[in-house]
């Protein structure tokens, strides 16, 4: 290669990651982040990885890790690979040693109380809570003395104040930070444990992450992390910071903020409904029903996301869930339907559902004879006539009701309601024309006869 000329960069395959800490259940905010990372990877034929940020050993649990996997699987956001930070201590140690050698991390000896005092003093002078780099100013002798005294040291990353930190955020546009206005971040605690910032960068490099998409609460972390990528000799990935979610009344309510995916599932929300909403709120594209999460990957573009907070509205989710259910094909739900319920039954019953679980109730209406309805003598006589017609072979609803109408002069409610009551035990429900063939001639006849009896 000619000196001074860079090799053309190969268009890299998109590699994204979702990096939750297994210290709790996933809520709608995390799921949105996972989904957008998945869509970005899938939409571009790339890879989507799961990384469990479990460096906080005290709060991370195997049960939460399993629950995260289960929630992702429920949503159909299956990772192509998965890693756990707790398995990668050797890598962090090696990279940390490189940063020490390069003078990009330094030990700091202040206790939490001292730091708090420094913050207060600065606040009293109207200064922002910036770390004053006192530890960086220590001479080798002073440092040796601290070590000899056994003063515990934590470690800070030394930000380079030389030039502004900039990046072209795929959601927020051009970002610019003056590193001198940021504290050198603590990257490692005195007990040797890691804070999130540095391991995340080491992993993103090692895992070949090309795009980091996360919530806008991470924007200032990104500024520091960009310098960490550079200090480790890597080009930073593309960054995109999603605007936060809010509830319908403005700020995200406590309930919504902590609204677990598990709670939504238990409430009967379809995974695809949640995905369809979360993929579009806060974007310029409409929320629309789809029948699979894959369908959302078509035409997915980070540039569609805006900077304004995205509004998450439970009522909108419920309405979308209903619309989606009414259009879901049998194959998408077959495994979750009651035994014996076939495609025709699904088609007949789904327009009446707001939750898939309600299908079982309507299927029971088909398969189980109802309690006898209260009817007038006149209605019973009418049903006896209906029974005769069914016995004589009338099996379709249109034919049966047309014949009854012609014979009895009944119409509207007077014609339909007694039949519905006798056949289903309910005064409302799926279209009888679709339901009657499911009930079948034998059961229909038995129900009409039973209801017609005194
Ligand atoms: N574990 C971090 C979090 O949950 C990951 C942030 C990131 O995506 O880098 O906030």
């Amino acid at each position: 290669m000619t000196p001074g000329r860079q090799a053309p960069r190969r268009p890299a395959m998109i590699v994204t990651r979702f990096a939750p800490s297994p210290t709790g259940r996933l809520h709608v905010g995390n799921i949105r982040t996972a989904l957008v990372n998945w869509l970005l990877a899938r939409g571009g034929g790339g890879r989507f990885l799961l990384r469990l940020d479990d460096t906080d050993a005290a709060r991370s649990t195997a049960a939460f890790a399993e629950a995260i996997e289960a929630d992702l699987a429920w949503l159909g956001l299956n990772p192509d690979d998965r890693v756990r930070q707790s398995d990668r201590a050797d890598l962090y140690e090696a990279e940390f040693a490189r940063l020490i050698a390069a003078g990009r991390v330094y030990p700091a000896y202040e206790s939490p109380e001292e730091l708090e005092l420094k913050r207060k003093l600065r606040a009293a002078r109207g200064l922002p809570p910036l770390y004053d780099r006192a530890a960086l100013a220590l001479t080798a002798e002073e440092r040796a003395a601290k070590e000899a005294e056994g003063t515990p040291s934590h470690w800070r990353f030394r930000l380079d104040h030389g030039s502004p930190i900039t990046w072209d955020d795929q959601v927020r546009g051009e970002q610019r930070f003056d590193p001198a206005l940021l504290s050198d971040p603590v990257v490692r605690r005195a007990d040797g444990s890691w804070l999130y910032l540095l391991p995340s960068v080491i992993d993103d490099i090692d895992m070949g992450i090309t795009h980091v998409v996360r919530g806008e609460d991470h924007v200032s972390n990104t500024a520091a992390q960009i310098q960490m990528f550079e200090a480790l000799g890597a080009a930073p990935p593309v960054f995109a910071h999603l605007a936060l979610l809010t509830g319908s009344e403005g700020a995200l309510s406590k309930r919504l903020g902590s609204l677990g995916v598990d709670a939504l599932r238990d409430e009967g929300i379809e995974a695809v409904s949640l995905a369809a909403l979360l993929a579009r709120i806060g974007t310029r594209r409409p929320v629309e029903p789809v029948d699979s999460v894959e369908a959302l990957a078509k035409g997915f573009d980070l540039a569609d996301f805006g900077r304004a907070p995205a509004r998450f509205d439970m009522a909108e989710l419920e309405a979308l869930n209903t619309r989606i259910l009414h259009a879901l094909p049998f194959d998408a739900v077959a495994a979750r339907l009651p035994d014996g319920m076939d495609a025709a039954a699904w088609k007949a019953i789904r327009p009446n559902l707001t939750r898939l679980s309600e299908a079982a109730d309507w299927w029971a209406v088909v398969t189980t004879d109802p309690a006898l309805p209260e009817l007038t003598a006149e209605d019973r006589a009418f049903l006896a006539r209906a029974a005769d017609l069914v016995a004589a072979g009338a099996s379709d609803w249109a034919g049966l009701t047309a014949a009854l109408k012609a014979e009895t002069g009944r119409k509207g409610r007077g014609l339909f309601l007694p039949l519905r009551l006798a056949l289903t035990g309910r005064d409302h429900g799926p279209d009888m024309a679709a339901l009657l063939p499911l009930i079948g001639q034998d059961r229909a006849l038995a129900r009409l006869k039973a209801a017609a009896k005194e």
Side-chain angles (χ1 to χ4, degrees), residues 17 19-21 51 53 196 200 212-214 218:
R17 87 302 195 271
S21 298
R51 187 184 79 209
D53 284 0
Y196 143 80
S200 176
V212 170
V213 183
R214 54 192 181 185
H218 282 289

Side-chain angles (χ1 to χ4, degrees), residues 9 96 99 101 184-185 210 279 283 327 333 340 373 405 411:
R9 260 180 92 169
F96 189 63
L99 292 176
D184 285 344
T210 61
T283 78
V333 293
K405 185 177 179 182
K411 53 188 190 273

Side-chain angles (χ1 to χ4, degrees), residues 99 104 156-157 159 185-187 196-199 201-202 205 221-234:
L99 292 176
R104 291 306 298 270
R156 288 185 185 265
F157 178 77
L159 290 168
V186 177
V187 292
Y196 143 80
L197 281 181
L198 181 60
V201 170
I202 295 171
I205 296 171
N221 286 340
T222 296
Q225 286 182 318
I226 281 180
Q227 285 210 351
M228 294 179 190
F229 279 100
E230 286 160 354
L232 290 166

